[in-house]
Amino acid sequence: TFRAREQAEIAAAKAALLEGSDEGYAGCCEALGTSDLGAELGAIRAPTLLIAGEADVSTPPADLEDLERAIEGASLLVIPGAGHILNREAPEQVTDAVLAHLE
């Protein structure tokens, strides 16, 4: 629904993505795809807020649930109906959650 409702936001996000280099994007994807920091998650002691979009297929809430279990004291917020680019799809909810977490 976001895509149909917010075509200007979609165009702006697409333009921002296209400004970057293909090599840079591919390198980022490769780094994310080959990284496994699972063994280090238990060492995180800082208060940790995880935010997922309910409809995110790239980083689904189930993946963040795994992180929540691995990081002591972490909390997870799942934003209903939102996808992957949460700061554009649900900016108020993301901002409110981050500010509350930082306080």
Side-chain angles (χ1 to χ4, degrees):
T1 60
F2 177 79
R3 203 176 283 166
R5 187 181 70 241
E6 300 291 341
Q7 292 185 14
E9 278 291 318
I10 295 295
K14 183 177 180 178
L17 185 61
L18 292 173
E19 284 179 13
S21 74
D22 293 347
E23 296 82 15
Y25 184 80
C28 181
C29 290
E30 182 180 357
L32 289 170
T34 59
S35 295
D36 182 5
L37 302 175
E40 286 83 18
L41 293 175
I44 296 174
R45 296 290 177 248
T48 302
L49 172 64
L50 307 163
I51 306 176
E54 176 186 46
D56 187 346
V57 295
S58 299
T59 312
D63 288 356
L64 274 74
E65 291 169 0
D66 291 342
L67 291 175
E68 182 183 26
R69 284 189 290 276
I71 301 169
E72 185 177 332
S75 61
L76 171 61
L77 169 65
V78 178
I79 299 179
H84 187 67
I85 313 297
L86 294 171
N87 61 317
R88 290 193 183 262
E89 292 187 51
E92 295 86 9
Q93 289 172 280
V94 170
T95 299
D96 290 348
V98 170
L99 289 175
H101 176 73
L102 294 174
E103 288 174 358

